[in-house]
């Protein structure tokens, strides 16, 4: 199964979803992620995922244009902005949307910010498990 995960900047939510889908789906999935923009992979997202033994430190922040000619089985948008701004893919891919809060927008202490990353990470894991359980 070939999956594309889309977000605004391909830095937090799409990267975490990419990591979870790959870990949970293993060799049964090929996962790519991209953004409407590219902001680089967020260091706090890397740290939050590493805390649960999912390494996304080697991921890159890619632009949606890189994948326009590819065919996917599923395209998952993980934020409302990406869903609204996503170019139309000329494919029969199943399009799925779930808006997750952007943990990079949280203000407060380092602990408060990191706790938001943990919360979003765990929400994304549950979504990824449910998504794959219905398709693999």
């Amino acid at each position: 199964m070939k999956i594309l995960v889309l977000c605004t900047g391909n830095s937090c939510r799409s990267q975490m979803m990419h990591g979870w889908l790959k870990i949970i789906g293993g060799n049964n999935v090929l996962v790519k992620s991209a953004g409407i923009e590219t902001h680089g992979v967020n260091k706090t997202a890397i740290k939050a995922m590493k805390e649960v033994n999912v390494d996304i430190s080697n991921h890159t922040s890619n632009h949606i244009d890189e994948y326009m000619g590819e065919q996917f089985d599923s395209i998952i948008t993980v934020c409302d902005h990406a869903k609204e701004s996503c170019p139309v893919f000329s494919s029969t891919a199943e399009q799925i949307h779930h808006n997750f809060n952007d943990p990079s927008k949280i203000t407060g202490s380092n602990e408060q910010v990191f706790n938001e990353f943990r919360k979003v990470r765990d929400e994304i894991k549950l979504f990824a498990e449910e998504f794959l359980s219905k398709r693999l």
Side-chain angles (χ1 to χ4, degrees):
M1 167 180 250
K2 190 172 177 183
I3 305 166
L4 177 63
V5 183
L6 296 175
C7 197
T8 300
N10 193 217
S11 66
C12 294
R13 295 164 288 180
S14 55
Q15 295 290 347
M16 290 190 281
M17 180 68 79
H18 183 159
W20 281 124
L21 290 169
K22 186 62 192 147
I23 288 294
I24 297 164
N27 292 330
N28 295 314
V29 297
L30 173 64
V31 184
K32 297 186 179 189
S33 61
I36 307 305
E37 307 160 8
T38 56
H39 297 167
V41 183
N42 183 289
K43 289 180 184 0
T44 308
I46 292 169
K47 181 180 172 187
M49 294 298 283
K50 189 168 281 202
E51 185 178 64
V52 292
N53 299 314
V54 179
D55 185 5
I56 62 169
S57 64
N58 62 346
H59 286 198
T60 57
S61 185
N62 300 82
H63 193 273
I64 183 65
D65 290 348
E66 294 178 43
Y67 304 119
M68 288 303 292
E70 291 190 43
Q71 293 295 316
F72 294 91
D73 298 303
S74 297
I75 298 173
I76 303 171
T77 50
V78 293
C79 72
D80 288 340
H81 181 255
K83 180 179 188 266
E84 294 162 8
S85 305
C86 182
V88 176
F89 277 78
S90 60
S91 82
T92 58
E94 170 189 34
Q95 303 224 357
I96 298 116
H97 175 69
H98 186 93
N99 186 60
F100 294 95
N101 288 336
D102 186 350
S104 70
K105 302 290 187 207
I106 296 299
T107 58
S109 70
N110 288 342
E111 182 180 355
Q112 289 170 317
V113 170
F114 195 63
N115 282 337
E116 183 65 18
F117 271 85
R118 284 178 172 135
K119 178 180 173 232
V120 172
R121 172 200 69 201
D122 295 345
E123 290 171 355
I124 290 172
K125 179 185 181 189
L126 290 174
F127 178 91
E129 288 173 335
E130 183 177 323
F131 170 82
L132 290 174
S133 74
K134 294 177 180 176
R135 289 162 182 84
L136 294 181

